Amino acid sequence: AQSVSQHNHHVILSEAASLELGCNYSYGGTVNLFWYVQYPGQHLQLLLKYFSGDPLVKGIKGFEAEFIKSKFSFNLRKPSVQWSDTAEYFCAVYHAGNNRKLIWGLGTSLAVNP
Amino acid sequence: NAGVTQTPKFQVLKTGQSMTLQCAQDMNHEYMSWYRQDPGMGLRLIHYSVGAGITDQGEVPNGYNVSRSTTEDFPLRLLSAAPSQTSVYFCASSYRDRVQYEQYFGPGTRLTVT
């Protein structure tokens, strides 16, 4: 079965620290990749997405992610986190063979201490 | 343009009661879906619809019914509430041919079953 793995379940950082959240998927074909963010008490919103082209994609609020096809990975990065980045982050994968359904990772809870 | 709206925001039910969670979108999206979010389990797809009159089951459909009589509305019915259905429920929508691009989420309904 297709799956998405987020290796870090809980991450705690201090402000200005660098962030990297791992995401790996199991499907070997053409995929679309997403990171969604859920701030405390809010709904999920799209952070960034990859469809094709440049494997380094930039999203909102200074986040970026790199698609490495050979590693089936789509890791999320930010050079310097802020307290306002405290949220839950979800990786999701779409491929056409999955009947138009996204496959979601379990999420990573990020807490940034001021 | 209100996006995806959900009502109610909070609900407490007793075991065995039934209720309907409402979801509406004003973006003319064909694709709509319901997820439940539980700690440590990420997002799980309950039911989805690719257009009016068409619904299908997701990962965890038991205990829930849906219907899609209009493009705008996609209510989720709990037939006989159980404590295991205590969760946060999110509705999402997207264009049918673009579900792989981005899903728009509602604010969620926090349901407690006692």
Side-chain angles (χ1 to χ4, degrees):
Chain A
Q2 315 306 328
S3 65
V4 176
S5 298
Q6 292 184 237
H7 312 297
N8 319 100
H9 298 295
H10 300 282
V11 175
I12 302 173
L13 295 174
S14 299
E15 277 194 315
S18 64
L19 170 71
E20 181 160 3
L21 301 182
C23 174
N24 286 88
Y25 60 94
S26 62
Y27 183 68
T30 301
V31 294
N32 296 330
L33 300 158
F34 305 85
W35 277 98
Y36 281 81
V37 61
Q38 185 179 27
Y39 297 104
Q42 297 188 27
H43 60 281
L44 286 94
Q45 55 187 287
L46 185 67
L47 196 56
L48 49 77
K49 57 193 175 189
Y50 171 81
F51 301 141
S52 63
D54 189 344
L56 185 63
V57 293
K58 295 190 185 299
I60 60 172
K61 303 187 179 185
F63 284 91
E64 64 179 32
E66 184 176 13
F67 170 51
I68 303 179
K69 190 174 182 179
S70 61
K71 295 185 178 180
F72 301 94
S73 70
F74 189 55
N75 292 354
L76 181 70
R77 300 196 293 250
K78 186 171 184 179
S80 176
V81 295
Q82 300 173 314
W83 176 78
S84 58
D85 294 324
T86 294
E88 191 147 10
Y89 293 82
F90 293 92
C91 182
V93 176
Y94 172 91
H95 66 87
N98 202 39
N99 201 23
R100 296 193 178 91
K101 290 181 282 187
L102 286 174
I103 306 169
W104 293 85
L106 296 184
T108 297
S109 175
L110 171 66
V112 180
N113 296 322
Chain B
N1 191 332
V4 181
T5 58
Q6 290 183 239
T7 56
K9 289 189 176 181
F10 301 94
Q11 183 70 49
V12 179
L13 290 178
K14 294 186 188 304
T15 298
Q17 287 184 316
S18 63
M19 79 158 295
T20 298
L21 307 186
Q22 301 292 344
C23 174
Q25 51 89 13
D26 60 359
M27 297 173 281
N28 204 30
H29 286 168
E30 300 95 339
Y31 184 95
M32 296 185 75
S33 56
W34 276 102
Y35 292 92
R36 59 178 290 173
Q37 183 181 30
D38 302 290
M41 303 189 76
L43 287 166
R44 292 183 291 170
L45 183 65
I46 305 172
H47 285 284
Y48 65 101
S49 168
V50 298
I54 306 168
T55 63
D56 206 346
Q57 297 181 349
E59 301 172 64
V60 288
N62 292 341
Y64 307 95
N65 272 359
V66 292
S67 60
R68 185 92 180 274
S69 56
T70 66
T71 298
E72 294 77 19
D73 299 298
F74 191 44
L76 178 72
R77 280 183 288 277
L78 280 71
L79 309 173
S80 176
S84 61
Q85 294 179 304
T86 293
S87 186
V88 181
Y89 292 84
F90 288 100
C91 179
S93 73
S94 71
Y95 290 110
R96 178 174 181 170
D97 291 331
R98 296 180 63 182
V99 66
Q100 65 269 32
Y101 294 170
E102 181 176 354
Q103 291 197 17
Y104 294 82
F105 284 84
T109 294
R110 186 174 295 274
L111 175 69
T112 302
V113 182
T114 61

